[in-house]
């Protein structure tokens, strides 16, 4: 199970955490149980940097260049990706521990700086190949495409994570379990992910000599582009040297157009996470021959019978540079309503993680279900779907039922019950009038 957070990081440590700048002495643990949940502790720093990015863009351009629907979808995907951790230790750690306990050939000391740096390189090298295969193997792309589905490129995009990718990533890390202690591996698994947050921005330009070694915003902008020169380039996590060594490096050139080559035009969390799996299933059944069916799964996303394993770059839609992101117009009141309820569910999500060690399994399951229901409803609102009202009415009623079962007392319970009762009446009447 996810452990309660350890003692809070200092401001300096919290900032350095996002740049892989905590020293070995600050981040080495003897036991896996002692490793903090750094990702959860980084949440306020994510929010702080996103606000700073928003302000800088406003000062530079004189207006707020920000799509609320896209940002909420990205953060929703990040929330969904972490929900399985509430139910138990993930496969990345479980498989690693199994290999360590049964097949390790040598034990590197957990408190050695050498072990820390070897783990740093090992995790980053494994991530390069995981990332590359996630673009070159269709079934793995089905998991990874979630992260690329945003047509914007800002710090919220970094949070658009896949719920499925961890079920592929564990394979690439297993060789390290032969000699690197799980507690050291668990630290770097989080650090490698956290480093990649700050590089999802357009406000930072070229960083000079650092561009030769590190993965930077410039390098990663290329990776997120759908321009022909950007496709399948710059897979680095922390160090860009792997791309330079293995021939997948590409510097930033003309304006990058972000997103999938075929935009999904959706904000619902299920479609964002699973739409490519649906596509693979359709192509699998429509493709004749068992060998071709297998190739649909293990070849590149653009493969078709008679074409190279990774498909042909010429088959991708042309990029004009004038692409307009999917941005349905919704009333200002509905956008404000969605934002308020999003922040409310974000608070519930944080509370579920904070109380995970003492909450019953049924409470956790109800909490997970309600979080997913809320994010789905908000996604439908952002798409201006006609069926959003029905789902929102159901969600408000579900909240009232679950809230009545909770042990909460006092004025806050009364206020929330009155508010959600009013919301349920509003959406109920709206649905009756509309239909």
């Amino acid at each position: 199970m996810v452990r309660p957070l350890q003692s809070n990081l200092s401001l300096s440590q919290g900032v350095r955490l996002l740049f892989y700048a905590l020293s070995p002495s600050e981040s080495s643990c003897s036991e896996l149980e002692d490793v903090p949940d750094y990702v959860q502790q980084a949440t306020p720093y994510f929010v702080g940097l996103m606000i700073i990015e928003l302000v800088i863009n406003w000062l530079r351009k004189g207006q707020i260049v920000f799509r609320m629907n896209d940002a909420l979808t990205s953060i929703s995907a990040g929330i969904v990706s972490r929900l399985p951790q509430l139910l138990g230790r993930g496969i990345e750690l479980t498989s690693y521990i199994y290999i360590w306990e049964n097949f390790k050939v040598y034990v590197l000391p957990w408190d050695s700086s050498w072990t820390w740096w070897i783990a740093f390189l090992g995790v980053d090298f494994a991530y390069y190949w995981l990332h590359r295969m996630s673009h070159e193997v269709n079934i793995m792309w089905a998991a990874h495409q979630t992260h690329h589905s945003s047509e914007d490129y800002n710090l919220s995009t970094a949070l658009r994570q896949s719920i499925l990718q961890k079920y592929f990533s564990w394979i690439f890390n297993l060789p390290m379990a032969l000699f690197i202690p799980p507690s050291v591996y668990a630290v770097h698994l989080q650090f490698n992910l956290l480093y990649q947050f700050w590089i999802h921005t357009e406000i930072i330009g070229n960083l000079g000599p650092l561009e030769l070694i590190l993965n930077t915003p410039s390098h990663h902008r290329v990776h997120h582009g759908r321009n022909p020169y950007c496709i399948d380039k710059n897979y680095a996590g922390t160090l860009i040297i792997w791309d330079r060594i293995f021939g997948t490096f590409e510097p930033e050139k003309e304006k990058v157009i972000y997103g999938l080559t075929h935009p999904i035009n959706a904000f619902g969390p299920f479609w964002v996470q699973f739409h490519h799996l649906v596509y693979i299933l359709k192509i699998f059944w429509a493709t004749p021959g068992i060998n071709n069916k297998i190739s649909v799964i293990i070849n590149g996303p653009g493969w078709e019978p008679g074409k190279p394993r990774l498909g042909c770059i010429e088959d991708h839609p042309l990029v004009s540079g004038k692409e307009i992101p999917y941005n349905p117009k919704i009333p200002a009141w509905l956008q404000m309503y969605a934002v308020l309820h999003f922040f409310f569910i974000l608070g519930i999500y944080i509370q579920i993680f904070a109380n995970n060690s003492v909450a019953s399994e049924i409470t956790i399951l109800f909490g997970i279900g309600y979080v997913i229901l809320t994010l789905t409803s908000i996604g439908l609102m952002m798409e201006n779907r006609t069926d959003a009202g029905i789902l929102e009415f159901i969600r408000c009623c579900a909240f009232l039922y679950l809230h009545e079962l909770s042990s909460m007392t006092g004025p806050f319970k009364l206020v929330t019950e009155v508010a959600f009762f009013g919301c349920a009446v509003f959406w109920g009447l709206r649905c009756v009038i509309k239909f």
Side-chain angles (χ1 to χ4, degrees):
M1 304 295 283
V2 176
R3 300 182 307 101
L5 298 182
Q6 303 297 306
S7 57
N8 292 329
L9 299 168
S10 68
L11 178 61
S12 169
Q13 289 175 320
V15 173
R16 287 185 289 121
L17 175 65
L18 299 181
F19 296 90
Y20 223 127
L22 289 184
S23 67
S25 62
E26 291 177 290
S27 55
S28 295
C29 301
S30 60
E31 301 295 333
L32 182 61
E33 289 71 22
D34 296 328
V35 177
D37 188 343
Y38 287 114
V39 175
Q40 193 72 5
Q41 289 196 30
T43 299
Y45 299 93
F46 293 157
V47 175
L49 287 181
M50 283 191 287
I51 293 173
I52 292 172
E53 180 188 45
L54 194 64
V55 171
I56 291 176
N57 272 323
W58 176 69
L59 292 175
R60 283 181 175 180
K61 301 178 181 180
Q63 59 182 349
I64 296 178
V65 184
F66 185 75
R67 286 194 303 144
M68 183 62 69
N69 45 28
D70 187 84
L72 294 185
T73 302
S74 293
I75 301 171
S76 295
I79 290 173
V80 170
S81 72
R82 284 181 56 79
L83 291 178
Q85 295 184 40
L86 291 166
L87 303 176
R89 182 176 282 164
I91 189 172
E92 289 176 306
L93 287 176
T94 302
S95 58
Y96 193 96
I97 292 168
Y98 178 81
I99 297 299
W100 169 261
E101 292 180 345
N102 294 279
F103 300 103
K104 62 178 176 286
V105 296
Y106 187 77
V107 178
L108 291 176
W110 67 268
D111 55 351
S112 167
S113 294
W114 281 103
T115 304
W116 196 95
W117 286 107
I118 291 171
F120 161 71
L121 292 173
V123 168
D124 202 50
F125 181 73
Y127 178 82
Y128 169 84
W129 286 106
L130 159 68
H131 199 179
R132 182 168 176 173
M133 290 302 101
S134 294
H135 282 252
E136 296 185 0
V137 177
N138 205 13
I139 192 64
M140 295 178 67
W141 173 247
H144 185 61
Q145 59 75 31
T146 299
H147 183 61
H148 284 265
S149 60
S150 173
E151 295 180 84
D152 293 340
Y153 190 78
N154 52 49
L155 291 177
S156 72
T157 309
L159 304 179
R160 188 177 287 226
Q161 296 294 320
S162 168
I163 193 174
L164 297 175
Q165 184 153 323
K166 59 176 65 72
Y167 300 106
F168 297 103
S169 61
W170 62 275
I171 302 171
F172 295 83
N173 293 309
L174 289 186
M176 289 182 287
L178 298 175
F179 55 93
I180 295 177
S183 63
V184 181
Y185 162 73
V187 167
H188 288 277
L189 193 64
Q190 295 184 80
F191 284 5
N192 191 274
L193 175 65
L194 291 170
Y195 176 88
Q196 295 176 57
F197 175 75
W198 75 276
I199 61 177
H200 289 81
T201 186
E202 292 187 293
I203 66 173
I204 298 176
N206 189 285
L207 295 179
L210 293 178
E211 303 281 340
L212 298 174
I213 301 172
L214 296 176
N215 193 14
T216 64
S218 177
H219 296 329
H220 205 58
R221 284 193 288 269
V222 171
H223 179 71
H224 272 258
R226 50 176 149 144
N227 314 56
Y229 87 93
C230 298
I231 302 296
D232 296 340
K233 299 297 182 182
N234 299 0
Y235 297 112
T238 304
L239 300 175
I240 200 66
I241 59 173
W242 310 123
D243 287 287
R244 295 184 184 278
I245 291 171
F246 296 111
T248 53
F249 174 73
E250 188 70 37
E252 188 174 21
K253 298 173 185 175
E254 66 263 21
K255 177 185 176 183
V256 177
I257 304 300
Y258 304 107
L260 301 172
T261 56
H262 298 83
I264 60 173
N265 294 340
F267 299 121
F270 280 100
W271 195 242
V272 169
Q273 293 285 348
F274 303 118
H275 78 93
H276 195 73
L277 275 179
V278 175
Y279 171 78
I280 289 178
L281 186 62
K282 291 179 179 178
I283 298 299
F284 179 86
W285 288 115
T287 301
I290 186 63
N291 289 336
N292 285 335
K293 288 183 183 296
I294 294 174
S295 295
V296 167
I297 296 173
I298 65 174
N299 282 353
W303 178 85
E304 294 177 358
K307 293 186 177 180
R309 185 180 73 85
L310 300 182
C312 298
I313 195 73
E314 296 81 11
D315 293 338
H316 295 163
L318 295 176
V319 173
S320 66
K322 299 179 181 179
E323 285 72 13
I324 300 175
Y326 176 63
N327 193 28
K329 299 300 180 184
I330 64 173
W333 70 264
L334 183 57
Q335 188 168 10
M336 180 62 68
Y337 177 91
V339 170
L340 289 174
H341 281 265
F342 183 85
F343 278 106
F344 185 79
I345 200 62
L346 184 61
I348 291 177
Y349 159 79
I350 293 172
Q351 194 66 24
I352 293 173
F353 267 86
N355 296 330
N356 181 53
S357 61
V358 297
S360 66
E361 291 186 359
I362 191 66
T363 299
I364 293 172
L365 287 172
F366 273 126
I368 290 174
Y370 185 72
V371 168
I372 293 174
L373 178 62
T374 300
L375 297 179
T376 302
S377 182
I378 291 174
L380 295 184
M381 290 181 207
M382 293 294 99
E383 294 176 23
N384 205 16
R385 291 264 296 269
T386 56
D387 50 352
I390 298 174
L391 187 62
E392 184 62 9
F393 171 74
I394 294 172
R395 184 187 77 87
C396 292
C397 292
F399 176 86
L400 292 171
Y401 174 74
L402 294 175
H403 206 47
E404 193 63 32
L405 296 178
S406 72
S407 58
M408 181 183 295
T409 58
F412 183 73
K413 181 175 183 178
L414 178 61
V415 169
T416 53
E417 286 182 347
V418 170
F420 272 85
F421 179 78
C423 291
V425 170
F426 171 81
W427 289 107
L429 291 174
R430 189 176 174 86
C431 290
V432 170
I433 294 171
K434 185 168 291 187
F435 294 102

